Protein backbone atom coordinates (compact mmCIF):
# COMPACT_ATOMS: atom_id res chain seq x y z
CA UNK A 1 0.00 0.00 0.00
CA UNK A 2 1.44 3.37 -0.98
CA UNK A 3 2.22 5.79 1.82
CA UNK A 4 1.18 9.38 2.26
CA UNK A 5 2.43 11.55 -0.58
CA UNK A 6 2.91 15.29 -0.59
CA UNK A 7 3.56 17.59 -3.50
CA UNK A 8 5.58 19.55 -4.16
CA UNK A 9 8.50 18.55 -1.95
CA UNK A 10 10.13 21.96 -2.16
CA UNK A 11 8.73 25.37 -2.86
CA UNK A 12 10.16 28.87 -2.94
CA UNK A 13 7.82 31.84 -2.87
CA UNK A 14 8.08 35.55 -2.17
CA UNK A 15 6.23 37.57 0.43
CA UNK A 16 2.68 38.38 -0.48
CA UNK A 17 2.22 35.42 -2.80
CA UNK A 18 -0.06 32.52 -2.09
CA UNK A 19 0.71 28.82 -2.17
CA UNK A 20 -1.18 25.54 -2.37
CA UNK A 21 0.19 22.30 -1.01
CA UNK A 22 -1.25 18.89 -1.77
CA UNK A 23 -1.53 15.70 0.25
CA UNK A 24 -2.72 12.28 -0.85
CA UNK A 25 -3.49 10.00 2.08
CA UNK A 26 -3.03 6.26 2.29
CA UNK A 27 -5.76 4.48 0.36
CA UNK A 28 -8.80 4.00 2.58
CA UNK A 29 -7.80 6.67 5.08
CA UNK A 30 -10.43 9.34 5.51
CA UNK A 31 -8.72 11.72 7.90
CA UNK A 32 -6.00 14.15 6.89
CA UNK A 33 -4.24 16.40 9.38
CA UNK A 34 -1.77 19.16 8.63
CA UNK A 35 1.14 20.30 10.82
CA UNK A 36 3.66 23.10 10.55
CA UNK A 37 7.20 22.39 11.71
CA UNK A 38 9.67 25.20 12.40
CA UNK A 39 12.91 25.25 14.42
CA UNK A 40 11.47 27.81 16.83
CA UNK A 41 7.92 26.59 17.40
CA UNK A 42 8.38 22.91 16.70
CA UNK A 43 5.45 20.92 15.39
CA UNK A 44 2.13 22.70 15.52
CA UNK A 45 -1.27 21.41 14.49
CA UNK A 46 -2.94 23.32 11.69
CA UNK A 47 -6.19 21.49 10.96
CA UNK A 48 -7.86 18.17 10.38
CA UNK A 49 -10.24 17.15 7.63
CA UNK A 50 -12.50 14.14 7.69
CA UNK A 51 -15.03 13.27 5.00
CA UNK A 52 -14.52 16.66 3.31
CA UNK A 53 -15.28 18.58 6.51
CA UNK A 54 -12.88 20.51 8.68
CA UNK A 55 -13.20 18.91 12.10
CA UNK A 56 -10.60 20.79 14.04
CA UNK A 57 -8.39 23.84 13.59
CA UNK A 58 -5.27 24.94 15.38
CA UNK A 59 -4.31 28.43 16.42
CA UNK A 60 -3.31 29.86 13.06
CA UNK A 61 -4.53 32.99 11.24
CA UNK A 62 -7.21 32.84 8.60
CA UNK A 63 -4.54 33.04 5.90
CA UNK A 64 -4.16 29.32 6.42
CA UNK A 65 -6.99 27.30 4.94
CA UNK A 66 -7.58 23.89 3.53
CA UNK A 67 -10.03 21.55 1.97
CA UNK A 68 -10.57 17.89 1.36
CA UNK A 69 -11.95 16.26 -1.73
CA UNK A 70 -14.25 13.28 -2.06
CA UNK A 71 -11.26 10.99 -2.69
CA UNK A 72 -9.80 12.17 0.66
CA UNK A 73 -6.98 14.09 -1.00
CA UNK A 74 -6.39 17.37 0.77
CA UNK A 75 -4.97 20.74 -0.12
CA UNK A 76 -3.67 23.43 2.13
CA UNK A 77 -3.54 27.05 1.05
CA UNK A 78 -1.61 29.92 2.55
CA UNK A 79 -2.40 33.39 1.25
CA UNK A 80 -0.37 36.58 1.58
CA UNK A 81 2.77 34.72 2.54
CA UNK A 82 4.99 36.09 5.29
CA UNK A 83 8.63 35.29 6.02
CA UNK A 84 7.52 33.46 9.14
CA UNK A 85 5.56 30.98 7.06
CA UNK A 86 8.80 29.35 5.98
CA UNK A 87 8.53 25.87 7.40
CA UNK A 88 8.17 22.18 6.75
CA UNK A 89 4.51 21.36 6.26
CA UNK A 90 3.60 17.81 7.17
CA UNK A 91 0.48 15.96 6.30
CA UNK A 92 -0.70 12.89 8.17
CA UNK A 93 -3.49 10.48 7.43
CA UNK A 94 -5.41 8.06 9.58
CA UNK A 95 -8.24 5.63 9.15
CA UNK A 96 -10.68 7.43 11.39
CA UNK A 97 -10.86 10.81 13.05
CA UNK A 98 -7.20 11.54 13.93
CA UNK A 99 -7.09 7.87 14.75
CA UNK A 100 -4.68 6.64 17.30
CA UNK A 101 -2.12 6.01 14.59
CA UNK A 102 -1.29 8.75 12.13
CA UNK A 103 0.94 8.12 9.13
CA UNK A 104 3.00 11.05 7.99
CA UNK A 105 4.08 12.14 4.55
CA UNK A 106 7.60 13.36 3.70
CA UNK A 107 6.56 17.01 3.97
CA UNK A 108 6.76 20.08 1.78
CA UNK A 109 9.59 22.49 2.52
CA UNK A 110 8.30 26.03 1.93
CA UNK A 111 10.74 28.91 1.79
CA UNK A 112 9.40 32.46 1.70
CA UNK A 113 11.84 35.12 0.49
CA UNK B 1 -3.55 23.66 27.87
CA UNK B 2 -2.02 20.30 27.25
CA UNK B 3 1.76 20.40 27.08
CA UNK B 4 4.48 17.91 26.30
CA UNK B 5 8.00 18.54 27.58
CA UNK B 6 11.18 16.91 26.39
CA UNK B 7 13.94 18.20 28.63
CA UNK B 8 16.87 16.82 26.62
CA UNK B 9 17.42 18.78 23.38
CA UNK B 10 20.32 16.52 22.40
CA UNK B 11 21.65 13.16 23.46
CA UNK B 12 24.27 10.76 22.23
CA UNK B 13 24.79 7.05 22.66
CA UNK B 14 27.50 4.59 21.73
CA UNK B 15 26.51 2.02 19.16
CA UNK B 16 25.11 -1.15 20.82
CA UNK B 17 24.49 0.69 24.09
CA UNK B 18 21.17 1.70 25.66
CA UNK B 19 19.76 5.20 25.86
CA UNK B 20 16.66 6.64 27.49
CA UNK B 21 14.84 9.72 26.23
CA UNK B 22 12.61 11.61 28.66
CA UNK B 23 9.16 13.04 28.20
CA UNK B 24 6.67 14.53 30.61
CA UNK B 25 3.19 15.77 29.83
CA UNK B 26 0.43 17.67 31.44
CA UNK B 27 -3.18 16.59 31.16
CA UNK B 28 -6.40 16.51 33.09
CA UNK B 29 -7.79 13.62 31.05
CA UNK B 30 -7.80 10.07 32.33
CA UNK B 31 -7.92 8.26 28.99
CA UNK B 32 -5.44 9.24 26.32
CA UNK B 33 -2.70 8.03 24.02
CA UNK B 34 1.00 8.77 24.01
CA UNK B 35 3.41 8.29 21.14
CA UNK B 36 7.05 8.43 20.24
CA UNK B 37 7.80 9.48 16.68
CA UNK B 38 11.17 9.36 14.95
CA UNK B 39 12.18 11.89 12.31
CA UNK B 40 15.44 11.00 10.52
CA UNK B 41 17.24 13.51 8.29
CA UNK B 42 14.98 12.43 5.45
CA UNK B 43 12.23 14.24 7.43
CA UNK B 44 9.67 11.42 7.25
CA UNK B 45 8.00 11.07 10.62
CA UNK B 46 7.75 7.44 11.65
CA UNK B 47 5.75 6.09 14.55
CA UNK B 48 8.06 4.23 16.90
CA UNK B 49 5.73 3.19 19.69
CA UNK B 50 2.40 4.07 21.26
CA UNK B 51 0.93 3.64 24.72
CA UNK B 52 -2.70 3.66 25.76
CA UNK B 53 -3.09 5.32 29.14
CA UNK B 54 -5.55 2.71 30.38
CA UNK B 55 -2.98 -0.04 29.90
CA UNK B 56 -0.67 -0.51 32.86
CA UNK B 57 1.75 -2.65 30.88
CA UNK B 58 4.53 -0.74 29.19
CA UNK B 59 4.56 -0.95 25.40
CA UNK B 60 7.44 -2.68 23.65
CA UNK B 61 8.40 -2.82 19.99
CA UNK B 62 11.55 -4.83 19.37
CA UNK B 63 14.46 -2.71 20.68
CA UNK B 64 12.16 0.12 21.74
CA UNK B 65 10.28 0.17 25.00
CA UNK B 66 8.64 2.78 27.16
CA UNK B 67 8.47 3.46 30.87
CA UNK B 68 5.00 4.87 31.40
CA UNK B 69 4.38 6.39 34.81
CA UNK B 70 0.80 7.66 34.72
CA UNK B 71 0.75 9.26 38.14
CA UNK B 72 3.98 11.11 37.45
CA UNK B 73 2.84 11.92 33.88
CA UNK B 74 6.09 10.57 32.55
CA UNK B 75 6.64 8.66 29.32
CA UNK B 76 10.27 7.81 28.57
CA UNK B 77 11.60 5.88 25.58
CA UNK B 78 14.35 3.31 25.97
CA UNK B 79 16.33 2.25 22.94
CA UNK B 80 18.36 -0.91 23.46
CA UNK B 81 21.29 -2.08 21.34
CA UNK B 82 21.44 1.29 19.58
CA UNK B 83 22.16 1.23 15.87
CA UNK B 84 23.47 3.90 13.52
CA UNK B 85 20.05 4.03 11.90
CA UNK B 86 18.52 5.15 15.19
CA UNK B 87 20.12 8.57 14.77
CA UNK B 88 17.24 11.01 14.37
CA UNK B 89 15.01 13.55 16.09
CA UNK B 90 12.62 11.87 18.47
CA UNK B 91 9.33 13.49 19.32
CA UNK B 92 7.04 12.63 22.17
CA UNK B 93 3.39 13.29 21.36
CA UNK B 94 0.09 13.25 23.17
CA UNK B 95 -3.27 12.75 21.51
CA UNK B 96 -5.56 15.49 22.68
CA UNK B 97 -9.32 15.44 22.45
CA UNK B 98 -10.59 18.48 20.57
CA UNK B 99 -14.26 17.72 21.07
CA UNK B 100 -16.88 16.27 18.73
CA UNK B 101 -14.87 13.11 18.31
CA UNK B 102 -11.91 15.00 16.90
CA UNK B 103 -8.36 14.66 18.11
CA UNK B 104 -5.01 16.27 17.44
CA UNK B 105 -1.44 15.49 18.32
CA UNK B 106 0.52 17.82 20.58
CA UNK B 107 4.26 17.35 20.21
CA UNK B 108 7.24 18.03 22.41
CA UNK B 109 10.16 20.05 21.05
CA UNK B 110 12.11 16.91 20.26
CA UNK B 111 15.39 15.25 21.27
CA UNK B 112 18.16 14.93 18.73
CA UNK B 113 19.81 11.55 19.16
CA UNK B 114 23.28 10.90 17.80
CA UNK B 115 24.72 7.39 17.62
CA UNK B 116 28.49 7.13 17.89
CA UNK B 117 30.11 4.25 16.00
Amino acid sequence: KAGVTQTPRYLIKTRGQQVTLSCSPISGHRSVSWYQQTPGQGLQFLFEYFSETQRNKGNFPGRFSGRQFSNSRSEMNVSTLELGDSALYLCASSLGLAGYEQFFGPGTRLTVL
Amino acid sequence: AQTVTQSQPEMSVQEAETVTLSCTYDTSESDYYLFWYKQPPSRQMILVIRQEAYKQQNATENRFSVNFQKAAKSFSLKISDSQLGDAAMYFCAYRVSAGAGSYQLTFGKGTKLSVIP
Side-chain angles (χ1 to χ4, degrees):
Chain A
K1 200 181 254 191
V4 178
T5 58
Q6 292 187 245
T7 56
R9 294 291 307 276
Y10 302 90
L11 208 48
I12 299 175
K13 292 286 187 180
T14 56
R15 279 181 298 174
Q17 287 187 308
Q18 75 165 18
V19 67
T20 299
L21 313 181
S22 181
C23 171
S24 292
I26 291 172
S27 178
H29 284 195
R30 298 169 63 192
S31 167
V32 173
S33 296
W34 288 89
Y35 296 87
Q36 182 196 64
Q37 184 176 21
T38 60
Q41 298 298 318
L43 279 149
Q44 294 184 287
F45 172 77
L46 279 157
F47 28 64
E48 181 198 9
Y49 285 86
F50 183 84
S51 293
E52 301 178 64
T53 303
Q54 186 180 92
R55 294 305 183 106
N56 188 17
K57 183 173 168 59
N59 189 26
F60 279 81
R63 301 185 296 106
F64 291 81
S65 63
R67 59 177 175 169
Q68 186 180 35
F69 301 94
S70 58
N71 62 356
S72 294
R73 188 177 71 86
S74 176
E75 288 182 347
M76 189 192 97
N77 185 76
V78 187
S79 62
T80 320
L81 283 166
E82 300 177 359
L83 296 179
D85 297 333
S86 294
L88 180 66
Y89 290 88
L90 293 168
C91 160
S93 78
S94 59
L95 205 54
L97 270 170
Y100 82 136
E101 182 166 1
Q102 290 192 318
F103 295 84
F104 283 80
T108 294
R109 169 73 66 187
L110 172 65
T111 301
V112 182
L113 302 176
Chain B
Q2 320 289 356
T3 58
V4 178
T5 303
Q6 293 179 249
S7 59
Q8 307 147 316
E10 294 189 32
M11 289 195 73
S12 62
V13 61
Q14 206 77 30
E15 197 175 2
E17 296 295 309
T18 295
V19 65
T20 298
L21 309 184
S22 302
C23 172
T24 58
Y25 57 94
D26 183 27
T27 182
S28 56
E29 298 182 7
S30 58
D31 190 19
Y32 48 88
Y33 292 88
L34 294 161
F35 307 86
W36 278 98
Y37 278 90
K38 169 186 176 182
Q39 188 178 39
S42 67
R43 308 183 320 214
Q44 184 104 29
M45 294 276 283
I46 303 164
L47 177 65
V48 174
I49 199 165
R50 64 174 167 265
Q51 174 80 44
E52 293 89 337
Y54 66 87
K55 290 186 177 179
Q56 293 192 353
Q57 188 172 6
N58 289 325
T60 299
E61 288 287 341
N62 301 313
R63 299 182 294 107
F64 299 87
S65 61
V66 298
N67 183 6
F68 174 48
Q69 302 289 328
K70 191 173 184 179
K73 297 179 183 176
S74 170
F75 182 60
S76 60
L77 174 70
K78 186 172 83 170
I79 305 174
S80 304
D81 184 25
S82 296
Q83 300 174 0
L84 295 177
D86 294 334
M89 282 290 288
Y90 286 82
F91 293 95
C92 178
Y94 167 90
R95 193 184 77 151
V96 182
S97 171
S102 180
Y103 298 88
Q104 68 188 59
L105 291 180
T106 296
F107 288 87
K109 294 291 189 184
T111 296
K112 183 178 180 181
L113 178 67
S114 300
V115 180
I116 304 165

